[in-house]
Amino acid sequence: MTALIETQYLPPVAYFAALRAAHEIVLEKHEHYEKQTYRNRCYINTARGQETLIVPTTAKHGKVVITEVRVDYTQKWLNNHWRTLQSAYGKAPFFEYYSEDLEKILFKRHSFLYDLNYELLSMCLRWLKWDVSVKESLSYTKLPDQPKSDLRSAINPKKAANLSRFYQPAKYYQVFGNTFAENLSIVDLIFCEGPEAARIVQVSTVVK
Protein backbone atom coordinates (compact mmCIF):
# COMPACT_ATOMS: atom_id res chain seq x y z
CA MET A 1 0.00 0.00 0.00
CA THR A 2 1.12 3.55 -0.77
CA ALA A 3 -0.14 6.03 1.82
CA LEU A 4 -0.55 9.73 1.06
CA ILE A 5 -0.44 11.81 4.24
CA GLU A 6 0.51 15.26 5.51
CA THR A 7 3.46 15.94 7.80
CA GLN A 8 2.73 16.42 11.49
CA TYR A 9 4.72 17.68 14.45
CA LEU A 10 5.82 14.64 16.50
CA PRO A 11 2.67 12.80 15.35
CA PRO A 12 0.36 10.81 17.60
CA VAL A 13 0.39 7.02 17.80
CA ALA A 14 -2.69 6.87 15.53
CA TYR A 15 -0.68 8.46 12.70
CA PHE A 16 1.76 5.54 12.75
CA ALA A 17 -1.04 2.99 13.18
CA ALA A 18 -2.63 4.39 10.01
CA LEU A 19 0.68 4.02 8.17
CA ARG A 20 1.58 0.60 9.53
CA ALA A 21 0.53 -1.36 6.42
CA ALA A 22 2.20 1.04 4.00
CA HIS A 23 5.29 -0.01 2.07
CA GLU A 24 5.62 3.56 0.78
CA ILE A 25 4.71 6.89 2.37
CA VAL A 26 4.08 9.92 0.17
CA LEU A 27 4.14 13.20 2.07
CA GLU A 28 1.76 15.88 0.83
CA LYS A 29 4.04 18.76 -0.08
CA HIS A 30 1.54 20.92 -1.98
CA GLU A 31 -1.42 21.22 0.37
CA HIS A 32 -2.59 24.43 2.00
CA TYR A 33 -1.68 24.74 5.66
CA GLU A 34 -4.49 24.01 8.09
CA LYS A 35 -4.46 25.64 11.52
CA GLN A 36 -5.39 23.87 14.78
CA THR A 37 -4.24 20.47 13.50
CA TYR A 38 -1.38 18.12 14.28
CA ARG A 39 0.68 19.89 11.62
CA ASN A 40 2.07 22.23 14.28
CA ARG A 41 1.14 20.62 17.59
CA CYS A 42 1.41 17.46 19.62
CA TYR A 43 0.09 16.16 22.93
CA ILE A 44 2.24 14.76 25.71
CA ASN A 45 1.73 13.45 29.23
CA THR A 46 3.00 15.55 32.15
CA ALA A 47 2.64 15.70 35.92
CA ARG A 48 -0.18 18.20 35.32
CA GLY A 49 -1.95 15.92 32.86
CA GLN A 50 -2.08 16.11 29.09
CA GLU A 51 -0.30 19.14 27.67
CA THR A 52 -0.23 20.61 24.17
CA LEU A 53 3.03 21.67 22.55
CA ILE A 54 2.41 24.14 19.73
CA VAL A 55 4.95 25.33 17.17
CA PRO A 56 4.03 28.95 16.40
CA THR A 57 4.07 29.91 12.74
CA THR A 58 3.98 33.11 10.74
CA ALA A 59 0.99 31.91 8.67
CA LYS A 60 -1.70 34.25 9.86
CA HIS A 61 -4.22 34.80 7.07
CA GLY A 62 -5.27 33.26 3.78
CA LYS A 63 -4.18 30.09 2.04
CA VAL A 64 -0.49 29.28 2.39
CA VAL A 65 1.22 26.23 0.88
CA ILE A 66 2.64 24.09 3.67
CA THR A 67 6.23 24.39 2.42
CA GLU A 68 6.01 28.17 2.73
CA VAL A 69 4.89 28.19 6.37
CA ARG A 70 7.71 29.61 8.50
CA VAL A 71 8.35 28.75 12.12
CA ASP A 72 8.05 31.82 14.36
CA TYR A 73 11.16 32.02 16.51
CA THR A 74 10.24 35.43 17.91
CA GLN A 75 8.19 33.40 20.39
CA LYS A 76 10.18 31.43 22.97
CA TRP A 77 8.58 28.11 22.17
CA LEU A 78 11.69 26.06 21.47
CA ASN A 79 13.25 26.19 24.93
CA ASN A 80 9.80 25.82 26.47
CA HIS A 81 9.13 22.65 24.46
CA TRP A 82 12.45 21.16 25.39
CA ARG A 83 12.10 21.96 29.11
CA THR A 84 8.58 20.52 29.11
CA LEU A 85 9.76 17.32 27.41
CA GLN A 86 12.63 16.97 29.88
CA SER A 87 10.30 17.50 32.82
CA ALA A 88 7.71 15.08 31.47
CA TYR A 89 10.04 12.28 30.38
CA GLY A 90 13.32 12.77 32.19
CA LYS A 91 12.53 9.75 34.36
CA ALA A 92 11.07 7.65 31.53
CA PRO A 93 13.06 4.43 30.96
CA PHE A 94 14.32 5.33 27.47
CA PHE A 95 14.50 9.14 27.53
CA GLU A 96 18.29 9.27 27.73
CA TYR A 97 18.66 6.80 24.89
CA TYR A 98 16.49 8.72 22.39
CA SER A 99 16.43 12.33 23.58
CA GLU A 100 19.71 13.41 21.97
CA ASP A 101 18.32 12.73 18.48
CA LEU A 102 15.26 14.83 19.20
CA GLU A 103 17.22 17.67 20.77
CA LYS A 104 19.55 17.92 17.77
CA ILE A 105 16.69 18.21 15.30
CA LEU A 106 14.68 20.71 17.33
CA PHE A 107 17.63 23.00 17.89
CA LYS A 108 18.59 23.09 14.22
CA ARG A 109 16.00 25.87 14.13
CA HIS A 110 14.47 24.93 10.79
CA SER A 111 13.07 27.94 8.97
CA PHE A 112 10.05 26.06 7.62
CA LEU A 113 7.52 23.89 9.46
CA TYR A 114 7.43 21.30 6.68
CA ASP A 115 11.19 20.72 6.90
CA LEU A 116 11.04 20.39 10.69
CA ASN A 117 8.20 17.88 10.49
CA TYR A 118 9.88 15.91 7.70
CA GLU A 119 13.06 15.44 9.69
CA LEU A 120 11.17 14.56 12.86
CA LEU A 121 9.15 11.94 10.96
CA SER A 122 12.34 10.42 9.54
CA MET A 123 13.71 10.23 13.08
CA CYS A 124 10.57 8.52 14.39
CA LEU A 125 10.65 5.95 11.58
CA ARG A 126 14.29 5.19 12.44
CA TRP A 127 13.36 4.78 16.09
CA LEU A 128 10.62 2.32 15.11
CA LYS A 129 13.03 0.55 12.73
CA TRP A 130 10.47 0.68 9.92
CA ASP A 131 11.76 -0.28 6.50
CA VAL A 132 9.50 2.00 4.49
CA SER A 133 10.15 4.31 1.55
CA VAL A 134 9.32 7.99 2.06
CA LYS A 135 8.67 10.27 -0.93
CA GLU A 136 7.08 13.67 -1.51
CA SER A 137 4.07 14.47 -3.67
CA LEU A 138 4.88 16.10 -7.01
CA SER A 139 1.69 18.19 -7.17
CA TYR A 140 -1.63 18.53 -5.37
CA THR A 141 -4.31 16.10 -6.50
CA LYS A 142 -7.73 16.20 -4.89
CA LEU A 143 -8.40 12.57 -5.78
CA PRO A 144 -5.09 10.68 -6.00
CA ASP A 145 -4.69 7.72 -8.32
CA GLN A 146 -5.27 4.28 -6.95
CA PRO A 147 -3.82 2.32 -5.25
CA LYS A 148 -2.83 5.20 -2.98
CA SER A 149 -4.57 5.33 0.38
CA ASP A 150 -5.49 8.99 0.94
CA LEU A 151 -4.90 9.69 4.64
CA ARG A 152 -4.60 13.46 4.34
CA SER A 153 -6.21 15.14 7.36
CA ALA A 154 -7.61 11.78 8.53
CA ILE A 155 -5.68 12.01 11.80
CA ASN A 156 -7.02 15.27 13.15
CA PRO A 157 -7.61 16.43 16.76
CA LYS A 158 -10.96 17.86 15.62
CA LYS A 159 -12.07 14.56 14.04
CA ALA A 160 -11.69 12.09 16.90
CA ALA A 161 -14.38 9.85 15.43
CA ASN A 162 -12.05 9.04 12.53
CA LEU A 163 -9.49 7.36 14.77
CA SER A 164 -11.38 4.09 15.10
CA ARG A 165 -10.76 3.49 11.39
CA PHE A 166 -7.03 3.14 12.06
CA TYR A 167 -6.34 3.00 15.76
CA GLN A 168 -7.35 0.86 18.73
CA PRO A 169 -5.64 2.03 21.95
CA ALA A 170 -3.14 -0.46 23.36
CA LYS A 171 -2.07 0.35 26.89
CA TYR A 172 1.60 0.71 27.78
CA TYR A 173 3.61 2.06 30.69
CA GLN A 174 3.33 5.83 31.18
CA VAL A 175 5.25 8.00 33.62
CA PHE A 176 2.32 9.90 35.12
CA GLY A 177 -1.18 9.07 36.25
CA ASN A 178 -3.20 5.98 37.00
CA THR A 179 -5.43 6.47 33.97
CA PHE A 180 -3.96 5.57 30.60
CA ALA A 181 -3.78 8.56 28.22
CA GLU A 182 -4.33 7.31 24.68
CA ASN A 183 -3.07 8.60 21.34
CA LEU A 184 -0.39 10.92 22.65
CA SER A 185 2.64 11.89 20.58
CA ILE A 186 4.78 8.96 19.50
CA VAL A 187 7.54 10.34 21.76
CA ASP A 188 5.44 9.35 24.79
CA LEU A 189 5.44 5.75 23.58
CA ILE A 190 9.11 5.76 22.51
CA PHE A 191 10.44 7.31 25.73
CA CYS A 192 8.38 4.93 27.86
CA GLU A 193 8.72 1.67 25.91
CA GLY A 194 11.81 2.02 23.71
CA PRO A 195 12.27 -0.95 21.35
CA GLU A 196 8.82 -2.27 22.30
CA ALA A 197 7.20 0.77 20.70
CA ALA A 198 7.04 -0.80 17.23
CA ARG A 199 5.17 -3.83 18.59
CA ILE A 200 2.72 -1.60 20.46
CA VAL A 201 2.01 0.40 17.30
CA GLN A 202 1.34 -2.91 15.55
CA VAL A 203 -1.10 -3.95 18.29
CA SER A 204 -2.76 -0.53 18.05
CA THR A 205 -3.37 -0.86 14.31
CA VAL A 206 -6.85 -1.68 13.08
CA VAL A 207 -6.55 -4.61 10.66
CA LYS A 208 -8.73 -4.18 7.56
Side-chain angles (χ1 to χ4, degrees):
M1 178 185 81
T2 296
L4 176 64
I5 198 165
E6 79 278 8
T7 63
Q8 298 184 1
Y9 177 64
L10 296 174
V13 176
Y15 182 95
F16 294 92
L19 293 173
R20 188 64 191 90
H23 66 272
E24 180 180 74
I25 298 170
V26 178
L27 298 177
E28 180 53 82
K29 190 177 182 179
H30 301 276
E31 65 168 1
H32 287 129
Y33 175 60
E34 291 184 34
K35 297 180 179 180
Q36 299 181 354
T37 65
Y38 288 119
R39 287 165 179 81
N40 74 322
R41 70 196 58 212
C42 70
Y43 298 88
I44 64 170
N45 202 19
T46 74
R48 298 179 299 277
Q50 184 172 293
E51 189 160 332
T52 310
L53 300 181
I54 299 175
V55 179
T57 71
T58 60
K60 304 300 182 187
H61 303 287
K63 293 182 177 181
V64 183
V65 177
I66 186 65
T67 52
E68 297 175 0
V69 174
R70 290 183 176 271
V71 178
D72 185 357
Y73 288 101
T74 65
Q75 301 185 45
K76 306 301 181 185
W77 68 272
L78 184 53
N79 286 329
N80 289 339
H81 280 208
W82 186 244
R83 283 196 299 268
T84 302
L85 287 163
Q86 286 179 310
S87 176
Y89 299 111
K91 294 183 179 179
F94 296 94
F95 180 76
E96 289 189 8
Y97 184 82
Y98 293 99
S99 60
E100 186 177 347
D101 288 347
L102 177 56
E103 183 181 17
K104 284 180 179 178
I105 292 174
L106 288 178
F107 283 90
K108 279 186 178 181
R109 298 175 66 92
H110 296 75
S111 296
F112 295 95
L113 178 66
Y114 179 89
D115 297 332
L116 170 63
N117 288 349
Y118 188 112
E119 191 163 359
L120 288 172
L121 175 61
S122 298
M123 174 195 72
C124 292
L125 294 173
R126 288 197 304 273
W127 283 354
L128 293 169
K129 293 183 167 56
W130 280 13
D131 183 17
V132 59
S133 170
V134 179
K135 299 180 179 179
E136 297 174 306
S137 64
L138 300 177
S139 62
Y140 185 82
T141 305
K142 188 172 183 180
L143 296 174
D145 297 334
Q146 296 297 327
K148 284 191 179 72
S149 178
D150 188 356
L151 300 174
R152 293 173 296 184
S153 296
I155 310 299
N156 188 315
K158 294 181 288 186
K159 300 177 182 177
N162 275 355
L163 292 183
S164 61
R165 295 167 50 199
F166 315 103
Y167 169 71
Q168 50 191 7
K171 291 184 178 181
Y172 57 87
Y173 166 79
Q174 291 178 325
V175 178
F176 298 108
N178 296 320
T179 302
F180 178 71
E182 63 185 57
N183 200 35
L184 296 176
S185 167
I186 192 71
V187 298
D188 182 84
L189 174 57
I190 291 283
F191 289 152
C192 291
E193 293 287 352
E196 277 291 289
R199 182 189 65 80
I200 294 167
V201 170
Q202 178 72 53
V203 173
S204 301
T205 302
V206 173
V207 179
K208 299 179 182 180

